[in-house]
C-alpha cells in the first residue's frame, strides 16, 4: 500500500470516478450493500458544498473512493434521529467503493482517516454513516474510526441500514 497516493478527488478525475462506481457496483454480490447514486447525486458529485471525496490512486489509476457528504436531504433527518441541535453541523461518511482486487488492504481505512481529518477542518460536529447490517467489512472500518452503531433503520428506498455515529 505504500505506493498508493491518497488525495482529494477533482473534476479531472470524473471519468475514472464514474468508471470505478460502475465497475464496483456491477461486481457486488449483494446489491443491497450499496445504495446507488441518483442522477442528481452524480451531478453534484464534485460540488464541495455537497460532498468531499478522497481517492486512492495506484499511479494514475483510481482504485478506491469515499466521501463526506455535507449537504443532503438525508443528513437533515439525522438531527431528529440523533436528537442533535440544528445549530451544529453533521457530515455523513459514505460512498465506500474499492475495486474488488484492492479490498482487504486497509485502503478504505486510510481514506476514512483522511475524511475524519477533513471533517475537523470543516468544523463538522457530528459524523454519521449508514451500512447494511451484514456488510462486515464496512462495519469494521466504521468501528475502527470510532463510530458506534446507534440504530437500525430502513431508508426511504427500502434499504436496511445500521446508523453509526461519532461526536467529533
Amino acid at each position: 500500500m505504500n505506493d498508493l497516493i491518497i488525495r482529494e478527488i477533482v473534476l479531472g478525475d470524473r471519468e475514472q470516478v464514474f468508471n470505478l462506481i460502475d465497475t464496483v457496483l456491477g461486481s457486488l454480490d449483494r446489491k443491497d450493500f450499496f445504495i446507488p447514486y441518483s442522477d442528481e447525486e452524480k451531478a453534484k458529485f464534485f460540488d464541495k458544498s455537497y460532498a468531499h471525496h478522497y481517492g486512492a490512486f495506484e499511479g494514475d489509476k483510481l482504485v478506491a473512493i469515499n466521501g463526506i457528504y455535507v449537504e443532503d436531504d438525508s443528513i437533515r433527518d439525522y438531527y431528529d434521529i440523533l436528537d442533535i441541535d440544528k445549530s451544529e453541523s453533521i457530515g455523513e461518511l459514505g460512498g465506500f467503493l474499492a475495486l474488488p482486487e484492492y479490498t482487504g488492504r486497509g485502503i478504505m481505512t486510510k481514506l476514512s482517516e483522511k475524511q475524519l481529518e477533513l471533517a475537523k477542518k470543516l468544523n463538522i460536529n457530528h459524523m454519521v454513516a449508514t451500512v447494511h447490517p451484514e456488510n462486515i467489512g464496512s462495519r469494521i472500518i466504521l468501528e475502527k474510526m470510532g463510530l458506534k452503531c446507534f440504530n437500525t433503520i430502513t431508508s426511504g428506498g427500502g434499504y436496511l441500514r445500521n446508523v453509526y455515529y461519532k461526536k467529533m
Side-chain angles (χ1 to χ4, degrees), residues 87-153:
S87 67
E88 299 205 28
S89 61
I90 298 176
E92 183 175 8
L93 187 60
F96 290 35
L97 295 169
L99 293 174
E101 63 270 26
Y102 288 87
T103 60
R105 296 187 188 186
I107 297 170
M108 207 52 68
T109 298
K110 292 286 186 196
L111 288 171
S112 298
E113 288 169 351
K114 291 293 277 186
Q115 292 292 17
L116 291 180
E117 290 171 19
L118 178 61
K120 290 176 186 176
K121 291 177 187 172
L122 295 173
N123 296 314
I124 292 174
N125 306 110
H126 305 271
M127 185 62 67
V128 295
T130 64
V131 64
H132 190 283
E134 295 174 26
N135 187 338
I136 295 168
S138 291
R139 288 177 29 211
I140 288 170
I141 292 165
L142 294 174
E143 290 166 7
K144 278 184 186 178
M145 300 297 102
L147 283 86
K148 305 283 185 222
C149 186
F150 175 84
N151 199 354
T152 301
I153 63 170

Side-chain angles (χ1 to χ4, degrees), residues 34 37 53 65-69 92-96 115 128-130:
F34 195 89
Y37 290 106
H53 294 90
I65 59 172
N66 77 355
I68 292 180
Y69 299 85
E92 183 175 8
L93 187 60
F96 290 35
Q115 292 292 17
V128 295
T130 64

